[in-house]
């Protein structure tokens, strides 16, 4: 059975909720575990590593960067990346900014093969159910891509 590690960091709980939704969505299909980047997780036995962070003060949480650097950028691993932010709400310019700044900051330290990148619409007050459902759908498509050797590319929130 495929082993998947969802490594994330969260401040107010939104990224943790997204990671746990992913776990619930594919728990039968793969051996999945979620763990905070700050917990220095052992990922050696993982076939696929999904790395996620919210954007705070114009950058992903530093614990994620520290995790990536401490693991030689996940060299030799297959990786998917996700962020939670609200910049996509600002139309095409917001999407371009998200890709040039936030996604670059998340991926610049990764040396492994990135097969999927997802921008989720974050929230400040009240859980965003659409984001939770998108996370469940995305993880299934990421596993399909992993199994078939394909790549999904960069995806933004649905309906944006």
């Amino acid at each position: 059975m495929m082993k998947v590690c969802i490594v994330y960091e969260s401040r107010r709980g939104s990224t943790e909720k997204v990671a746990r939704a992913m776990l619930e969505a594919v728990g039968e299909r793969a051996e999945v575990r979620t763990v905070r980047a700050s917990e220095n997780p052992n990922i050696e036995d993982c076939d696929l590593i999904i790395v996620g962070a919210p954007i705070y003060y114009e950058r992903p949480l530093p614990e994620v960067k520290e995790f990536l650097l401490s693991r030689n950028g996940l060299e030799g691993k297959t990786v998917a990346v996700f962020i939670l932010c609200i910049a996509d709400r600002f139309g095409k310019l917001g999407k371009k900014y998200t890709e040039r700044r936030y996604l670059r900051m998340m991926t610049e330290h990764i040396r492994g093969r990135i097969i999927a990148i997802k921008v989720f619409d974050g929230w400040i007050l009240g859980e965003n159910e659409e984001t939770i459902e998108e996370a469940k759908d995305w993880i299934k498509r990421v596993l399909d891509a992993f199994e078939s050797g394909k790549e999904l590319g960069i995806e933004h929130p649905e309906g944006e």
Side-chain angles (χ1 to χ4, degrees):
M1 184 177 273
M2 177 186 345
K3 291 185 178 183
V4 180
C5 293
I6 303 172
V7 180
Y8 69 93
E9 201 53 58
S10 192
R11 283 289 182 273
R12 295 191 178 120
S14 58
T15 307
E16 182 173 11
K17 286 182 180 181
V18 167
R20 293 196 184 281
M22 290 181 198
L23 169 73
E24 292 170 14
V26 294
E28 302 285 321
R29 185 171 164 188
E31 184 182 314
V32 184
R33 67 182 187 257
T34 60
V35 63
R36 287 181 175 268
S38 58
E39 292 176 5
N40 196 26
N42 180 358
I43 51 146
E44 288 306 312
D45 64 337
C46 294
D47 301 305
L48 173 64
I49 301 166
I50 300 173
V51 181
I55 301 301
Y56 272 88
Y57 300 106
E58 289 295 300
R59 61 183 35 95
L61 292 179
E63 295 89 342
V64 174
K65 177 182 173 183
E66 291 165 17
F67 165 77
L68 292 170
L69 292 173
S70 75
R71 298 299 190 291
N72 197 29
L74 305 176
E75 189 170 9
K77 294 288 188 179
T78 301
V79 184
V81 175
F82 73 93
I83 62 169
L84 272 76
C85 71
I86 60 171
D88 269 33
R89 294 180 189 172
F90 300 102
K92 288 181 183 178
L93 289 176
K95 286 181 182 174
K96 285 183 180 187
Y97 185 81
T98 297
E99 290 183 17
R100 276 197 229 122
R101 180 163 175 89
Y102 306 145
L103 293 180
R104 180 188 55 78
M105 292 173 85
M106 277 293 286
T107 60
E108 69 186 346
H109 301 291
I110 296 176
R111 294 183 178 173
R113 177 176 170 246
I114 299 174
I115 63 166
I117 299 173
K118 176 69 173 160
V119 178
F120 290 109
D121 192 17
W123 65 85
I124 298 170
L125 300 172
E127 184 175 306
N128 184 333
E129 267 306 313
E130 290 176 15
T131 294
I132 297 298
E133 291 307 312
E134 274 188 59
K136 292 176 181 178
D137 177 62
W138 183 71
I139 185 73
K140 292 173 186 173
R141 291 186 295 106
V142 169
L143 294 186
D144 289 343
F146 176 80
E147 290 172 339
S148 67
K150 295 182 180 174
E151 296 182 8
L152 297 179
I154 299 173
E155 297 179 28
H156 290 270
E158 293 175 6
E160 294 293 316

